[in-house]
Amino acid sequence: MIGWVFAGITLSAVIMATFEKQIRRAILALWVAGIGVGAIYLTVGAEFLAIIQWIVSTLIAISFIFFSVMFGEYNAPVQKNQMGNYLLTGLSLLLGAGFATVIWIGAKGLSEISFVLSQEGADLASIGRVLTQDHLLSLEVLALTLFLVLVGGGVVARYEGEESS
Amino acid sequence: MMMLIAGLIGGLGLVCMISRQTMLGLLMGVHFLILGSAMIFVLAGMSTGLRVQGYIFAFFITLGGVTQLVVGYSLAIRLFFLKKRTSSHEMQALKQ
């Protein structure tokens, strides 16, 4: 039952973040959505993922606030919708509904999720063992990607003005 | 039913990516897509009896999503440096 409550909160927050015009409310809804997904993970027994999700979502929400303030969007006045925007939103809604339908049809063969805690995957040791024994290459690729992104992000966002003598 | 909710979160991410006209809106949509897809892997792992595999895929997707967001922020800074605004219509300026 509690899992469905969290799912409802998460979905409401995602809807609010998608359609809210004021960026600060949208960022708050984005944070609530991330916390809600973490809470769903917690109810299914994935504490490890829940904590990662909460940390990542909070850091992302903070960085969204930082960048929206930097770009002047945080307190920007709300712009009125134009006809073209309604059309674009309608088409994107169709696309989004199509995406959800494809997932739903694809998942029909799977058994229904029960919010019953399982011992499997409940301890960090088993997850760490699988991660390092079965997915070592993926882990290395991820580590290299994170490293390259740090370096590349710094290069892309570098200052190119006149250097002071 | 829970899988449908995960699909809806991903679908709304697509809506957010298309309908919002700024770089930050685009990144917000990417974040929702990542949330939805990670949830799909966790739920599919639970349904098929491969819980740990589902968790690990969700872990990879979440951290992969973080890298995408970092690159997105860098591009947004670059766009702001070139055009003084971050509207998605101005993204062609990044080709310069």
Side-chain angles (χ1 to χ4, degrees):
Chain A
M1 177 65 189
I2 191 79
W4 294 109
V5 173
F6 287 137
I9 292 171
T10 307
L11 197 57
S12 311
V14 174
I15 290 169
M16 187 181 164
T18 305
F19 296 108
E20 176 59 53
K21 291 290 171 198
Q22 278 197 343
I23 192 87
R24 49 185 165 175
R25 285 187 195 155
I27 293 170
L28 180 68
L30 177 132
W31 180 68
V32 172
I35 297 294
V37 170
I40 292 171
Y41 290 156
L42 198 64
T43 54
V44 296
E47 294 94 349
F48 154 71
L49 269 182
I51 291 168
I52 288 178
Q53 186 61 56
W54 286 333
I55 293 171
V56 166
S57 290
T58 305
L59 288 177
I60 285 174
I62 290 169
S63 51
F64 264 110
I65 290 172
F66 172 76
F67 283 105
S68 63
V69 169
M70 195 172 106
F71 298 147
E73 291 180 33
Y74 196 71
N75 287 317
V78 178
Q79 290 180 340
K80 284 185 179 175
N81 263 337
Q82 292 171 342
M83 199 60 198
N85 288 352
Y86 283 122
L87 190 67
L88 198 65
T89 307
L91 285 173
S92 61
L93 272 172
L94 274 178
L95 192 67
F99 179 85
T101 310
V102 167
I103 298 293
W104 187 49
I105 291 170
K108 269 192 173 174
L110 300 175
S111 59
E112 190 58 37
I113 310 295
S114 60
F115 291 101
V116 178
L117 296 182
S118 166
Q119 281 303 310
E120 191 197 352
D123 61 322
L124 273 177
S126 66
I127 294 172
R129 205 174 300 120
V130 174
L131 200 60
T132 50
Q133 287 179 354
D134 299 347
H135 301 281
L136 186 63
L137 185 63
S138 311
L139 194 65
E140 289 297 328
V141 169
L142 179 68
L144 188 66
T145 309
L146 283 166
F147 171 68
L148 289 177
V149 158
L150 273 178
V151 177
V155 171
V156 168
R158 73 189 181 281
Y159 179 67
E160 279 192 349
E162 287 181 16
E163 286 182 17
S164 59
S165 59
Chain B
M1 192 65 185
M2 201 50 129
M3 200 65 108
L4 178 64
I5 288 171
L8 279 172
I9 292 172
L12 284 166
L14 272 179
V15 175
C16 194
M17 278 174 75
I18 296 168
S19 62
R20 284 190 181 268
Q21 312 271 316
T22 61
M23 278 290 280
L24 288 185
L26 194 74
L27 294 177
M28 211 177 265
V30 169
H31 182 61
F32 287 137
L33 261 178
I34 289 160
L35 275 184
S37 53
M39 235 178 114
I40 287 168
F41 272 98
V42 170
L43 298 175
M46 284 172 62
S47 294
T48 53
L50 296 167
R51 272 179 183 259
V52 179
Q53 304 291 334
Y55 294 171
I56 286 171
F57 268 84
F59 171 74
F60 282 134
I61 290 169
T62 305
L63 290 189
V66 170
T67 63
Q68 287 175 32
L69 283 170
V70 171
V71 172
Y73 288 143
S74 308
L75 290 175
I77 292 172
R78 187 78 183 153
L79 191 60
F80 189 71
F81 174 71
L82 291 171
K83 292 284 178 182
K84 300 292 176 234
R85 57 187 167 193
T86 53
S87 165
S88 53
H89 300 299
E90 308 283 352
M91 279 169 69
Q92 273 198 331
L94 292 172
K95 286 169 72 178
Q96 291 171 357

